[in-house]
Amino acid sequence: MTQETQAATRPNVRVVLFGLMIAMMLAMLDNMIVSTALPRIAFEFGGAGHFTWIVTAYILGTTVSTPIWGKLGDLYGRKTVFLTSVVIFLIGSALCGMSGSEMLGGVDKGMIELIAFRAVQGLGAGGLMVGVMAIIGDLVPPRERGRYQGMIAGIMAIAMVAGPLVGGFITDNLSWRWAFYVNLPLGGVALLVLATTMHLPKYRTEHKIDWLGAALLSVGITAIVLLTTWGGNSYDWTSLPILGLAVLAAVALVAFGFVERRVPEPILPLALFANRNFALISVIGFLLGFAMFGAMNFLPLYQQTVQGASATNSGLLLLPLMFGMLVVSLVVGRAITRTGRYRMFPIVGGVVMAAGMVLLSRLDVDTSKAMSSLYMVVLGVGMGFLMQTSMLIAQNSVEQKDLGAASGAATFFRSIGGSFGISLFGAIFANRLADSAAGGAFSGGGGEGRGLDLEKLKELPAQARELVLGGLSDAISHVFLWAVLFTIVVPVLAWFIKEVPLRSANDVPPADATPEEQAEAALGKAGVA
């Protein structure tokens, strides 16, 4: 390809990246905004006993669909599949906003409608998250991929801070329905940009959908998500529903393994796990999700109770963490592009992240906001080393034809890890709190302080309030101490990662290269298809 043509195609990557960043923002921002609006929704629909299902339905739809979207992209072409996921997400958003209206059946059905439509929205969100990573893998050769994935990590960090702020503004000044309607103009822009500018390589693949494998995987994942959501909260861990879900998950996933070994186009190719790097990075992704999402869930609780911040301001107090993550993600991405080396980053990231958890385990009632911000910067730096580097290693471990499946698997393990982490750390928090003087301040338990009345807490006498806050801070710091046990495993596993050279745009495939390798090499030289 001539230099003129290459120069002409390069700007297209930046235009497409703009659309992809909007799509990723949609998936990440939505859950943050909706979480802020949940109390208002529960009040309007009178369904406080079921409002947690609004979150669970979204998580369930996202987790179940992620590996399936990835494989569909491999089989049918990523552009069509990705745009379909955007449309499904927007349809789900519009329906969520209309839940309980006369058009859809009345307020008495509003909570049921909203839960169902959130599941639809989650199905689309699963395709957004895995699709963005897989498309970057198609457009950009591995050597240059770190820089672009660093930008996506930055968008994720911004969404995690902006979500509560936007959600608080919408809830206070507009109807909660705009928490969903706000997705429509953003999604429309993303659709327009991507439909007109995104041109991806196409591979001719003889395919047959593995419907049985998809069904078994969906059943297994659903059982796991419900188990981790209900266990220790709605039901005791030893109760019949939880044990039944555990058995169902085990049977479905074992059957899934048998099916995947026998079908020509498995939804999740088990052969991928024969690659040492892919197997290691999958476990690292699980532990990353476990520790990060599980433990981070308690930072806003600490800020709103012990430090007395409002719900909106607690989002601002997370800025140090996001700043550390954003800066390091960008720096690491550029370093990988410049040097082609990446093995050291997950090792360093695991060590720094473990150090951040150790520091956060020191939180107490006397910890200043400046000191807790410093602790969060350390945690954010560790996350910045790991977040997108883990995806890059997963993608670089497989052939181009399995890029979508690999991206889906990496996202899936991180999501499942987060689900387990939230559940386990919630149980640890609740048990620690129940044994403290603050236990009486909780009327409903719930594992995350949902039974705590913050207004009544402010009205307590100073001595009683200090006692309650001391119990709260002790329980929260105990969660971070447990998180250390999981994060220290990350650098140990990362040590065994083999540094496989990243292909660059100038690489030329050997004469006996497969058609996929030749296509990827041609793609790398062009910058885009």
Side-chain angles (χ1 to χ4, degrees):
M1 177 168 289
T2 65
Q3 290 183 346
E4 289 78 5
T5 305
Q6 186 171 350
T9 57
R10 279 294 179 187
N12 192 39
V13 177
R14 292 192 287 270
V15 174
V16 171
L17 183 65
F18 172 71
L20 293 177
M21 291 169 76
I22 295 177
M24 179 59 80
M25 178 73 80
L26 282 174
M28 294 296 298
L29 198 60
D30 180 79
N31 225 15
M32 300 293 179
I33 293 176
V34 173
S35 295
T36 309
L38 278 179
R40 186 70 56 84
I41 295 172
F43 175 79
E44 180 170 324
F45 286 154
H50 305 287
F51 85 97
T52 55
W53 270 102
I54 299 173
V55 177
T56 301
Y58 184 87
I59 295 174
L60 190 57
T62 302
T63 309
V64 166
S65 64
T66 294
I68 298 175
W69 281 117
K71 187 61 181 180
L72 290 176
D74 288 337
L75 294 179
Y76 292 108
R78 257 176 280 284
K79 179 176 180 178
T80 300
V81 171
F82 182 71
L83 294 181
T84 300
S85 71
V86 176
V87 171
I88 292 175
F89 180 84
L90 295 180
I91 291 174
S93 298
L95 291 173
C96 285
M98 292 187 291
S99 298
S101 65
E102 295 182 2
M103 184 182 303
L104 292 179
V107 176
D108 57 330
K109 300 178 182 178
M111 184 63 77
I112 297 174
E113 290 174 353
L114 182 56
I115 291 170
F117 296 147
R118 280 286 280 172
V120 174
Q121 196 183 26
L123 290 175
L128 291 182
M129 290 188 286
V130 68
V132 168
M133 297 304 176
I135 289 170
I136 290 177
D138 269 343
L139 288 175
V140 184
R143 178 67 178 267
E144 301 177 22
R145 207 171 287 165
R147 178 175 57 182
Y148 292 97
Q149 290 183 341
M151 296 178 186
I152 295 297
I155 286 296
M156 295 169 67
I158 293 171
M160 294 176 74
V161 174
L165 299 178
V166 175
F169 176 83
I170 289 175
T171 303
D172 292 338
N173 298 281
L174 303 170
S175 166
W176 62 264
R177 299 179 188 276
W178 280 97
F180 301 102
Y181 291 150
V182 71
N183 294 326
L184 302 182
L186 287 174
V189 173
L191 273 178
L192 178 63
V193 171
L194 295 174
T196 56
T197 66
M198 185 166 63
H199 306 288
L200 302 177
K202 297 181 180 179
Y203 307 105
R204 297 182 61 86
T205 306
E206 295 296 330
H207 49 72
K208 182 179 180 181
I209 295 294
D210 175 23
W211 292 114
L212 179 59
L216 289 170
L217 181 62
S218 298
V219 170
I221 295 173
T222 300
I224 289 175
V225 171
L226 293 180
L227 186 152
T228 55
T229 301
W230 289 344
N233 294 314
S234 301
Y235 302 96
D236 292 333
W237 285 104
T238 57
S239 65
L240 185 60
I242 297 301
L243 294 177
L245 285 172
V247 172
L248 177 61
V251 171
L253 293 178
V254 169
F256 171 74
F258 280 113
V259 170
E260 296 304 276
R261 292 179 180 275
R262 289 165 174 78
V263 295
E265 285 291 344
I267 287 291
L268 183 60
L270 300 183
L272 296 179
F273 296 95
N275 182 293
R276 184 175 73 178
N277 277 8
F278 187 83
L280 286 171
I281 210 65
S282 296
V283 179
I284 289 173
F286 177 86
L287 292 172
L288 178 62
F290 196 106
M292 183 179 68
F293 293 114
M296 277 181 58
N297 197 50
F298 293 90
L299 280 175
L301 178 62
Y302 175 80
Q303 293 163 339
Q304 292 179 41
T305 55
V306 180
Q307 293 186 327
S310 66
T312 301
N313 287 339
S314 67
L316 290 175
L317 290 175
L318 287 174
L319 279 174
L321 186 149
M322 300 310 165
F323 178 77
M325 177 181 167
L326 172 60
V327 172
V328 174
S329 293
L330 294 174
V331 171
V332 167
R334 291 185 176 276
I336 292 175
T337 298
R338 186 177 66 255
T339 66
R341 306 186 70 85
Y342 54 84
R343 178 175 174 268
M344 63 174 288
F345 295 122
I347 298 173
V348 174
V351 172
V352 176
M353 189 173 174
M357 292 297 185
V358 170
L359 291 173
L360 288 170
S361 71
R362 297 168 54 86
L363 291 174
D364 58 31
V365 291
D366 296 320
T367 304
S368 66
K369 291 181 180 179
M371 189 59 67
S372 63
S373 295
L374 179 61
Y375 296 166
M376 285 188 282
V377 169
V378 176
L379 180 61
V381 168
M383 291 164 53
F385 277 109
L386 280 162
M387 285 293 288
Q388 299 311 310
T389 307
S390 59
M391 178 64 73
L392 176 65
I393 295 173
Q395 291 181 341
N396 195 55
S397 302
V398 303
E399 296 181 28
Q400 188 74 18
K401 66 183 181 66
D402 291 322
L403 190 65
S407 302
T411 306
F412 165 72
F413 282 110
R414 191 180 298 176
S415 176
I416 285 293
S419 181
F420 269 94
I422 290 172
S423 177
L424 177 61
F425 290 141
I428 290 172
F429 172 81
N431 290 333
R432 183 77 171 186
L433 191 65
D435 295 335
S436 73
F442 283 72
S443 59
E448 296 170 19
R450 284 190 295 270
L452 183 66
D453 190 330
L454 297 181
E455 294 303 319
K456 289 184 178 179
L457 178 61
K458 296 176 182 177
E459 297 172 2
L460 289 175
Q463 186 174 1
R465 185 169 62 251
E466 289 181 9
L467 197 63
V468 171
L469 294 181
L472 272 169
S473 62
D474 175 71
I476 293 171
S477 64
H478 196 65
V479 168
F480 288 109
L481 188 61
W482 272 90
V484 174
L485 299 179
F486 297 94
T487 51
I488 59 176
V489 180
V490 171
V492 175
L493 292 175
W495 183 266
F496 296 98
I497 291 175
K498 180 181 179 182
E499 188 145 46
V500 179
L502 297 173
R503 294 178 295 277
S504 68
N506 296 320
D507 290 340
V508 179
D512 59 349
T514 65
E516 288 80 10
E517 290 170 336
Q518 294 176 3
E520 184 174 4
L523 174 62
K525 289 183 178 182
V528 294

